[in-house]
Amino acid sequence: MSSTALLVIEGLWWTPEEKPKRPSVLLFLQGLEGVQGDFNIYYSNFYEKIGFKRALEDDLTNTKEDRLFLYIAAHGTGKRIGGLKSKTGMKLPAMFKAVKNAARYSNIEGVLIGSCSVGNNIDDFIATTKNSHIAWIFGYTCEISWIASTLIDVSIFEHLMKLSKSDLKDRKKILNAFVKALRRFNGDYILCKQKGRNLALKNAITIVVQPRSPGEKVVDETAYVLEKLGWKK
C-alpha cells in the first residue's frame, strides 16, 4: 500500500443543464496516478461549510497513509469558496480554519487551492501554514481558466509529491520543485481576468512555504519562484 494520499475536495462547477457530463478535476488526477502509480486518491464533493468540514475532517483525513496532500477545487470569489446556483458556498475564514484544524491532527504536507481569487488572501495562507505540518500552499489570485489551471495543478502535484520527507526540511528544494512544475508553462500566457482586464500566469499565483525544520519561518515565496523562472512582472 502506498504511504502517500491525495485528498481531493471538489465543489461542483456546473449544473446538469449547463454541462450534462459534469466535468471534474478527478479524471486529470487519475491520469497522474496512472502514470506515477505511487499514491492513492480520496475524493469528496461539497457545496457549503458543513459539507466541506464533513468531507475534510470526518472523511478524507481518516486515511492510513502518513503523507497527505490536499487539493481544494471549487468556485472562488476571493471571499467565498464553493457553491453553485442557489448554494452560496462557504466563507474563506471558515475554509482556512477547517484546513488548519485538519493539519493539526493529520500529516498534510501541501495544500493546493484551485479556485478563483483565493490566492489574494496571503495573510490567511500564512496564518494557515504557521505552526502546522503544512510545508506549502499554492493558490490563484484571479478568475482562472478551468482547463489551463487544472493542468497547472496536476504539474504541481507531479513535482511536489516527489519530494521526500527530508526534502521538506529544505526551503530551496521545495521552491525548486515549484520552479520545475511551472517551467513547462509560459508565464505570459493569459490565464485569467481581473476587473475586466487580462492577467498573465506570472501575475496570477501565490506560493507560501514553511520548511519542516526548527526555526524556519512561513514566507510568501512567490517573487523568488518568479525570479528563478525568469518571469518578471
Side-chain angles (χ1 to χ4, degrees):
M1 181 178 177
S2 174
S3 63
T4 302
L6 177 55
L7 314 178
V8 184
I9 306 181
E10 184 175 31
L12 297 180
W13 303 94
W14 295 279
T15 65
E17 293 80 12
E18 292 171 327
K19 292 190 183 294
K21 294 187 179 181
R22 307 299 287 273
S24 168
V25 300
L26 182 59
L27 293 176
F28 291 82
L29 300 171
Q30 288 173 333
L32 178 62
E33 180 190 24
V35 172
Q36 295 197 172
D38 56 357
F39 66 92
N40 301 317
I41 297 175
Y42 296 90
Y43 179 86
S44 287
N45 288 123
F46 81 100
Y47 282 107
E48 32 58 51
K49 179 179 177 180
I50 294 175
F52 184 91
K53 293 183 69 175
R54 285 177 176 170
L56 181 59
E57 298 174 6
D58 299 339
D59 183 16
L60 293 178
T61 49
N62 292 313
T63 63
K64 296 180 179 179
E65 295 83 356
D66 65 354
R67 303 190 66 188
L68 306 180
F69 295 84
L70 177 61
Y71 184 24
I72 302 168
H75 287 297
T77 66
K79 295 182 179 180
R80 287 181 175 271
I81 190 170
L84 188 66
K85 292 295 185 180
S86 62
K87 304 290 185 179
T88 59
M90 66 186 299
K91 293 181 180 179
L92 286 183
M95 184 272 289
F96 284 116
K97 183 179 179 180
V99 171
K100 192 172 183 68
N101 287 342
R104 285 196 179 104
Y105 63 81
S106 64
N107 201 21
I108 297 176
E109 297 182 10
V111 179
L112 197 160
I113 305 176
S115 302
C116 297
S117 305
V118 175
N120 286 314
N121 299 274
I122 297 175
D123 289 344
D124 290 313
F125 273 42
I126 291 173
T128 302
T129 308
K130 190 175 182 179
N131 299 322
S132 77
H133 294 297
I134 298 170
W136 58 267
I137 297 184
F138 176 93
Y140 297 96
T141 64
C142 51
E143 186 180 335
I144 50 180
S145 166
W146 191 84
I147 290 181
S149 62
T150 301
L151 294 175
I152 293 168
D153 296 346
V154 170
S155 184
I156 289 172
F157 280 122
E158 177 188 0
H159 288 83
L160 271 295
M161 291 175 72
K162 288 180 180 178
L163 295 176
S164 67
K165 285 186 177 181
S166 61
D167 289 337
L168 295 178
K169 299 178 181 179
D170 190 319
R171 187 180 298 271
K172 285 190 175 181
K173 288 184 177 179
I174 297 172
L175 293 172
N176 286 340
F178 273 108
V179 171
K180 291 178 181 177
L182 293 168
R183 182 168 281 154
R184 55 170 48 128
F185 302 98
N186 185 338
D188 291 319
Y189 174 77
I190 302 302
L191 181 68
C192 50
K193 295 181 179 180
Q194 188 176 52
K195 296 181 179 179
R197 61 187 183 91
N198 293 329
L199 212 62
L201 169 58
K202 64 186 179 184
N203 299 317
I205 59 176
T206 296
I207 300 169
V208 166
V209 172
Q210 176 183 250
R212 288 181 166 182
S213 291
E216 287 282 6
K217 295 182 179 180
V218 53
V219 177
D220 177 3
E221 296 283 10
T222 310
Y224 175 90
V225 172
L226 295 179
E227 180 183 355
K228 289 297 180 181
L229 287 165
W231 294 358
K232 293 183 180 180
K233 287 193 175 185

